[in-house]
């Protein structure tokens, strides 16, 4: 995703910033995690743009402030813009010198792995999709559905296979050869466990993914953020609505 050209560069796929409209509509971006954090509807593709580095995580009684160094995604960023950190869509509160800050509400900390980050940790970063860009992965909202744990890692000659525990409430949305976002990375499910009480899925990581994302180094026991395919949730909702009217 290149920079803007001319006076009016290509727009990213998002509603106008909060300061540009009135009244504000709270909760449009990070509704699945914490309504207070974002007030723009951003869409991501799960194609990580940059490996960032955590500078600080300042903890408060019911929230936190996360500061991340990421010169690429920070270039041109301003307060109110959206950036996905390990798959969680957050709103930029300030940006300077190649780093940006974002507030993280308690609900997000409990649903995702952001609260466990420490200074120096690597994170996957992605800006919202642009209207003129290809959809290289799949539609990712940045609304994390839960977390999984890396169970196993098998190395091949040029790729790795990673097995991840799948929380039972999410199992019905995951299908073999379907899409899932793991720490904000758009991946294809290559294998799927059949035990509903001990569910798991596997993803196969090519050299590009290993080199450019956090999954290149995560080992068994590590926590990852999971977002299932939104289409599956819409289909389930529509089917249940139809049954209730019949």
């Amino acid at each position: 995703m290149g920079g803007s050209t001319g006076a009016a560069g290509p727009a990213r796929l998002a509603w106008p910033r909060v300061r540009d409209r009135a009244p504000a509509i709270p909760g449009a971006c990070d509704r699945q995690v914490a309504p207070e954090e974002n007030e723009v509807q951003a869409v991501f593709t799960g194609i990580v743009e940059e490996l960032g580095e955590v500078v600080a995580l300042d903890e408060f009684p019911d929230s936190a402030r996360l500061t991340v160094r990421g010169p690429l995604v920070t270039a041109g960023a301003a307060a109110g813009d959206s950036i996905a950190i390990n798959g969680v869509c957050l709103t930029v509160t300030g940006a300077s010198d190649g780093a940006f800050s974002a507030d993280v509400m308690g609900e997000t900390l409990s649903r995702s792995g952001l609260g466990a980050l420490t200074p120096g940790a690597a994170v996957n970063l992605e800006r919202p999709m642009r209207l003129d860009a290809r959809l290289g992965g799949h539609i990712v909202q940045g609304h994390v559905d839960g977390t999984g744990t890396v169970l196993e890692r098998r190395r091949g000659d040029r790729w790795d296979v990673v097995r991840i525990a799948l929380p039972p409430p999410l199992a019905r949305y995951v299908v073999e050869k379907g899409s899932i976002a793991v720490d904000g990375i758009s991946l294809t499910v290559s294998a799927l466990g059949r035990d509903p009480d001990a569910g798991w899925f596997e993803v196969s990581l090519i050299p590009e993914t290993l080199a450019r994302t956090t999954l290149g180094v995560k080992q068994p026991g590590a926590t990852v953020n999971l977002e299932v395919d939104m289409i599956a949730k819409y289909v389930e909702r529509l089917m249940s609505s139809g049954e209730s009217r019949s």
Side-chain angles (χ1 to χ4, degrees):
M1 297 182 179
S4 299
T5 56
R12 292 191 175 273
L13 193 55
W15 291 109
R17 296 176 190 163
V18 176
R19 61 177 179 267
D20 294 335
R21 70 178 192 275
I25 303 174
C29 180
D30 208 6
R31 187 177 296 110
Q32 181 72 17
V33 180
E36 302 88 350
E37 287 181 39
N38 290 278
E39 296 177 347
V40 293
Q41 181 63 61
V43 176
F44 303 89
T45 69
I47 304 299
V48 174
E49 292 187 273
E50 181 177 20
L51 265 178
E53 179 185 0
V54 174
V55 176
L57 180 67
D58 300 315
E59 299 185 61
F60 306 107
D62 60 351
S63 63
R65 178 170 297 126
L66 184 60
T67 303
V68 175
R69 181 175 294 107
L72 176 62
V73 301
T74 305
D81 289 343
S82 295
I83 295 176
I85 303 175
N86 280 357
V88 181
C89 177
L90 297 175
T91 297
V92 174
T93 57
S96 64
D97 300 325
F100 69 95
S101 296
D103 292 332
V104 189
M105 299 298 101
E107 177 71 5
T108 302
L109 295 173
S110 65
R111 279 185 178 265
S112 73
L114 293 187
L117 293 174
T118 57
V123 288
N124 300 318
L125 301 176
E126 183 189 357
R127 292 169 291 183
M129 178 183 174
R130 273 195 339 216
L131 289 172
D132 69 333
R134 292 184 176 91
L135 181 58
H138 72 283
I139 297 175
V140 178
Q141 295 177 292
H143 302 171
V144 170
D145 294 300
T147 60
T149 303
V150 176
L151 299 176
E152 179 184 326
R153 189 179 193 107
R154 304 193 303 274
R155 296 193 180 277
D157 292 336
R158 290 181 52 79
W159 65 85
D160 285 9
V161 176
V162 177
R163 179 174 293 188
I164 299 170
L166 182 61
L170 302 183
R172 65 183 182 273
Y173 302 117
V174 180
V175 297
E176 195 168 345
K177 307 307 178 186
S179 296
I180 190 168
V182 179
D183 269 355
I185 309 163
S186 175
L187 296 169
T188 299
V189 176
S190 57
L192 189 63
R194 303 302 178 186
D195 185 347
D197 297 320
W200 54 264
F201 68 95
E202 291 183 347
V203 291
S204 299
L205 308 179
I206 63 174
E208 181 74 4
T209 305
L210 294 171
R212 295 176 61 87
T213 74
T214 58
L215 282 185
V217 296
K218 289 210 169 181
Q219 299 300 317
T223 298
V224 291
N225 297 324
L226 301 177
E227 181 185 330
V228 298
D229 193 345
M230 61 179 288
I231 296 175
K233 291 186 284 187
Y234 277 121
V235 170
E236 180 184 62
R237 177 68 173 172
L238 290 170
M239 292 181 67
S240 63
S241 297
E243 290 171 359
S244 64
R245 290 196 300 267
S246 60

